[in-house]
Amino acid sequence: MQHRSPSRRTVLASATVAAATAAGVVGGTATPAIAHRRDDRLKKIISRMSVEAKIGQLFVPYFYGTSATSPSQFDQDRNLKELGVRTVAELIAKYHIGGVIYFSGWANNILDPAQVADLTNGVQRASLALPTPVPSLISIDQEHGANVRIGSGATQLPGAMALGAGRSVSDARTAGRISGSELAALGIHQNFAPVADVNVNPANPIINVRSFGADAHEVGRMVAAQVTGYQQAGVVACAKHFPGHGDTGEDSHTGLPVITHTREEWERVDAPPFKAAIAAGVDSIMTAHLQVPALDPSNDPATLSPAILQGVLRGELGFDGVIVTDALNMRGVRTKYGDDRVPVLALKAGADQLLFPPDIDVAYNGVLAAVLGGEITEDRLDESVLRILRLKDKVGLLSGSPYVSPKEVDRVVGARRHRLAAARIAERTTTLLVNEGGALPLRRGQRKLLVVGAGPAFPTDATRSTVPELAKAFDELGYGTTHLATGRAPDAAKIDEAVAAAQGRDAVVVTTDNVGATSAQRTLVSRLLATGVPVVHLAVRNPYDIAHLGDVPASLASYCWTEVELRAAARVIAGLAEPRGRLPVPVQRADDPATVLFPAGHGLSYDD
């Protein structure tokens, strides 16, 4: 990795900021006197900012490319088309940006840890070149499990529902601390995790396994543990999505969901994890783009609701940290107002950070017009900037160099001790739902396996997918394995091919992914059962799949399909690890949803 030393101007700018804002306490809770002195120092920085610079501090936009100053021509062209600049460095300079968010895949920000570290250093050089030099608060969605951005080279950890199945506060905290330490080493100091939504709707299309479970108390325990782990590692945690996204059948990326809970139901189901996060000292909370008539009958999304953000979150729950909007490009927040008004209304509602506007120029100038026209006072602007600077101060961005050390990246990111801890945690999450006649663990003579079924690609690496990776995990355990990916919607020919491939095998491991009432995956499983070859079912995403599959003799849930969960499931199936997970959600009968097939807390062991 190429690492350039900062210029003399950058060093002087950083030293000026550090001298003006030396932190009273980093990573802990400041006393009132220390907090007052800290705020006085931060207000001096704010006093040197123009209105334009203050507005820039509020925005957290996306950008394209792996480099801050020299992305590929393709990414430069995309930046120019959508952002009006060629690079993120130009974006920061033009709009005085206070933070950015990294994405893998479509945005092409992430290749490997060395590249991410170099990108971070470029972003910080651009930030310290501003007229009022303040480092960027760099953000990411590194939830783990189904929603992860940094894959290759970094430690992969079980996602939320898997941790919920493990029911270990210690494991949840350790996972947060490992993830946080690796992010901090990369110069990423704000992670939009953990998810605090309580997934009480099995059909939830957006939260689902991103939630720790369906029990508000248990979710609260896990959320608090993860907040503690992340923030012990020097990373800003963010509980999301307030006031609760767990009981919706609609995706707020594509529509405006309505939560029909009464006020009493909200207090009982949705509020406890956010209260637990606040009690644990969470530094930021993300809003949800959904309507909650019991909290605000105006029918505005929560992101734009003063009643919800100021009345409930700040007033009733006492949260005085940073309120972050969910991405402002999502349909749920754009159904009623234009893109120039949405950020203005979010600020008036009580938000501080404005995440991922669909058009940065429209959004920025919309806020600028509101301030210059008196709709938003400069004092109101200063409140949000102060909260954001407190975060930057707490994670050390204002009291030392914001640059990343390549040696620290090599030492921390993907460290062997982290990977071993992740593997141990994952083994404690795999859940055995059915084990008729002691079908598992596999017997000594069952060495020839067929791994077949749905094979979603890894979240951060489309070249790797479930079925071949699971087969590889078995091969490494000494099995002779063949594999066939049939997909989520196998046709008759593909099912026939799977049935033929099962002949002569000692056992079949079939994976499923989001099985529904009309899913062809049901036919695949029933045809495999009819072969007489022993069948082991593994739900690689939703634990609800088992309700649609009839009389499978052995069934497990891994809650995700990344390498760490698949390897753990293979070890459990092979009998090299005990199944210790317990369902964090109830599974209802497919033909009678009012009847529970497996209650929350269900999970077999090999002694049962």
Side-chain angles (χ1 to χ4, degrees), residues 246-258:
D247 191 11
T248 173
E250 186 173 7
D251 185 346
S252 52
H253 288 84
T254 57
L256 179 57
V258 179

PDB file of all heavy atoms in Angstrom, residues 246-258:
ATOM      1  N   GLY A 246     -39.223  -3.441  12.890  1.00  0.00           N
ATOM      2  CA  GLY A 246     -39.295  -4.889  12.934  1.00  0.00           C
ATOM      3  C   GLY A 246     -40.625  -5.500  12.548  1.00  0.00           C
ATOM      4  O   GLY A 246     -40.700  -6.704  12.305  1.00  0.00           O
ATOM      5  N   ASP A 247     -41.685  -4.689  12.471  1.00  0.00           N
ATOM      6  CA  ASP A 247     -43.009  -5.249  12.153  1.00  0.00           C
ATOM      7  C   ASP A 247     -43.567  -4.589  10.906  1.00  0.00           C
ATOM      8  O   ASP A 247     -44.583  -3.901  10.932  1.00  0.00           O
ATOM      9  CB  ASP A 247     -43.970  -5.058  13.324  1.00  0.00           C
ATOM     10  CG  ASP A 247     -45.265  -5.859  13.128  1.00  0.00           C
ATOM     11  OD1 ASP A 247     -45.308  -6.696  12.216  1.00  0.00           O
ATOM     12  OD2 ASP A 247     -46.224  -5.634  13.884  1.00  0.00           O
ATOM     13  N   THR A 248     -42.860  -4.778   9.810  1.00  0.00           N
ATOM     14  CA  THR A 248     -43.330  -4.239   8.539  1.00  0.00           C
ATOM     15  C   THR A 248     -43.195  -5.292   7.458  1.00  0.00           C
ATOM     16  O   THR A 248     -42.250  -6.079   7.463  1.00  0.00           O
ATOM     17  CB  THR A 248     -42.542  -2.976   8.124  1.00  0.00           C
ATOM     18  OG1 THR A 248     -42.937  -2.583   6.813  1.00  0.00           O
ATOM     19  CG2 THR A 248     -41.050  -3.233   8.116  1.00  0.00           C
ATOM     20  N   GLY A 249     -44.137  -5.310   6.551  1.00  0.00           N
ATOM     21  CA  GLY A 249     -44.080  -6.198   5.403  1.00  0.00           C
ATOM     22  C   GLY A 249     -43.639  -5.472   4.156  1.00  0.00           C
ATOM     23  O   GLY A 249     -43.674  -6.040   3.056  1.00  0.00           O
ATOM     24  N   GLU A 250     -43.211  -4.214   4.312  1.00  0.00           N
ATOM     25  CA  GLU A 250     -42.804  -3.407   3.161  1.00  0.00           C
ATOM     26  C   GLU A 250     -41.400  -2.881   3.388  1.00  0.00           C
ATOM     27  O   GLU A 250     -41.014  -2.547   4.509  1.00  0.00           O
ATOM     28  CB  GLU A 250     -43.776  -2.234   2.966  1.00  0.00           C
ATOM     29  CG  GLU A 250     -43.514  -1.415   1.713  1.00  0.00           C
ATOM     30  CD  GLU A 250     -44.600  -0.363   1.453  1.00  0.00           C
ATOM     31  OE1 GLU A 250     -45.476  -0.197   2.316  1.00  0.00           O
ATOM     32  OE2 GLU A 250     -44.566   0.276   0.391  1.00  0.00           O
ATOM     33  N   ASP A 251     -40.647  -2.780   2.306  1.00  0.00           N
ATOM     34  CA  ASP A 251     -39.267  -2.310   2.336  1.00  0.00           C
ATOM     35  C   ASP A 251     -39.258  -0.798   2.172  1.00  0.00           C
ATOM     36  O   ASP A 251     -39.749  -0.273   1.169  1.00  0.00           O
ATOM     37  CB  ASP A 251     -38.494  -2.985   1.204  1.00  0.00           C
ATOM     38  CG  ASP A 251     -37.003  -2.663   1.217  1.00  0.00           C
ATOM     39  OD1 ASP A 251     -36.596  -1.719   1.917  1.00  0.00           O
ATOM     40  OD2 ASP A 251     -36.259  -3.353   0.497  1.00  0.00           O
ATOM     41  N   SER A 252     -38.672  -0.074   3.126  1.00  0.00           N
ATOM     42  CA  SER A 252     -38.647   1.385   3.059  1.00  0.00           C
ATOM     43  C   SER A 252     -37.717   1.906   1.968  1.00  0.00           C
ATOM     44  O   SER A 252     -37.711   3.104   1.677  1.00  0.00           O
ATOM     45  CB  SER A 252     -38.246   1.980   4.416  1.00  0.00           C
ATOM     46  OG  SER A 252     -37.048   1.402   4.889  1.00  0.00           O
ATOM     47  N   HIS A 253     -36.933   1.017   1.340  1.00  0.00           N
ATOM     48  CA  HIS A 253     -36.161   1.438   0.166  1.00  0.00           C
ATOM     49  C   HIS A 253     -37.091   1.721  -1.014  1.00  0.00           C
ATOM     50  O   HIS A 253     -36.770   2.538  -1.875  1.00  0.00           O
ATOM     51  CB  HIS A 253     -35.156   0.359  -0.242  1.00  0.00           C
ATOM     52  CG  HIS A 253     -33.994   0.228   0.683  1.00  0.00           C
ATOM     53  ND1 HIS A 253     -34.039  -0.520   1.839  1.00  0.00           N
ATOM     54  CD2 HIS A 253     -32.745   0.759   0.634  1.00  0.00           C
ATOM     55  CE1 HIS A 253     -32.871  -0.452   2.453  1.00  0.00           C
ATOM     56  NE2 HIS A 253     -32.067   0.311   1.743  1.00  0.00           N
ATOM     57  N   THR A 254     -38.225   1.023  -1.047  1.00  0.00           N
ATOM     58  CA  THR A 254     -39.104   1.112  -2.211  1.00  0.00           C
ATOM     59  C   THR A 254     -40.483   1.691  -1.900  1.00  0.00           C
ATOM     60  O   THR A 254     -41.264   1.928  -2.813  1.00  0.00           O
ATOM     61  CB  THR A 254     -39.285  -0.275  -2.839  1.00  0.00           C
ATOM     62  OG1 THR A 254     -39.795  -1.185  -1.845  1.00  0.00           O
ATOM     63  CG2 THR A 254     -37.948  -0.807  -3.353  1.00  0.00           C
ATOM     64  N   GLY A 255     -40.811   1.896  -0.650  1.00  0.00           N
ATOM     65  CA  GLY A 255     -42.122   2.433  -0.277  1.00  0.00           C
ATOM     66  C   GLY A 255     -42.083   3.033   1.111  1.00  0.00           C
ATOM     67  O   GLY A 255     -41.029   3.102   1.748  1.00  0.00           O
ATOM     68  N   LEU A 256     -43.242   3.484   1.583  1.00  0.00           N
ATOM     69  CA  LEU A 256     -43.351   4.088   2.909  1.00  0.00           C
ATOM     70  C   LEU A 256     -44.168   3.159   3.807  1.00  0.00           C
ATOM     71  O   LEU A 256     -45.397   3.182   3.789  1.00  0.00           O
ATOM     72  CB  LEU A 256     -44.010   5.469   2.819  1.00  0.00           C
ATOM     73  CG  LEU A 256     -44.217   6.222   4.141  1.00  0.00           C
ATOM     74  CD1 LEU A 256     -42.891   6.413   4.873  1.00  0.00           C
ATOM     75  CD2 LEU A 256     -44.879   7.575   3.882  1.00  0.00           C
ATOM     76  N   PRO A 257     -43.492   2.320   4.590  1.00  0.00           N
ATOM     77  CA  PRO A 257     -44.215   1.373   5.449  1.00  0.00           C
ATOM     78  C   PRO A 257     -44.981   2.100   6.557  1.00  0.00           C
ATOM     79  O   PRO A 257     -44.639   3.223   6.946  1.00  0.00           O
ATOM     80  CB  PRO A 257     -43.100   0.509   6.045  1.00  0.00           C
ATOM     81  CG  PRO A 257     -41.898   0.761   5.207  1.00  0.00           C
ATOM     82  CD  PRO A 257     -42.037   2.146   4.693  1.00  0.00           C
ATOM     83  N   VAL A 258     -45.995   1.422   7.072  1.00  0.00           N
ATOM     84  CA  VAL A 258     -46.776   1.935   8.201  1.00  0.00           C
ATOM     85  C   VAL A 258     -46.703   0.913   9.326  1.00  0.00           C
ATOM     86  O   VAL A 258     -47.017  -0.269   9.128  1.00  0.00           O
ATOM     87  CB  VAL A 258     -48.243   2.186   7.813  1.00  0.00           C
ATOM     88  CG1 VAL A 258     -49.026   2.699   9.019  1.00  0.00           C
ATOM     89  CG2 VAL A 258     -48.331   3.187   6.664  1.00  0.00           C
TER      90      VAL A 258
END
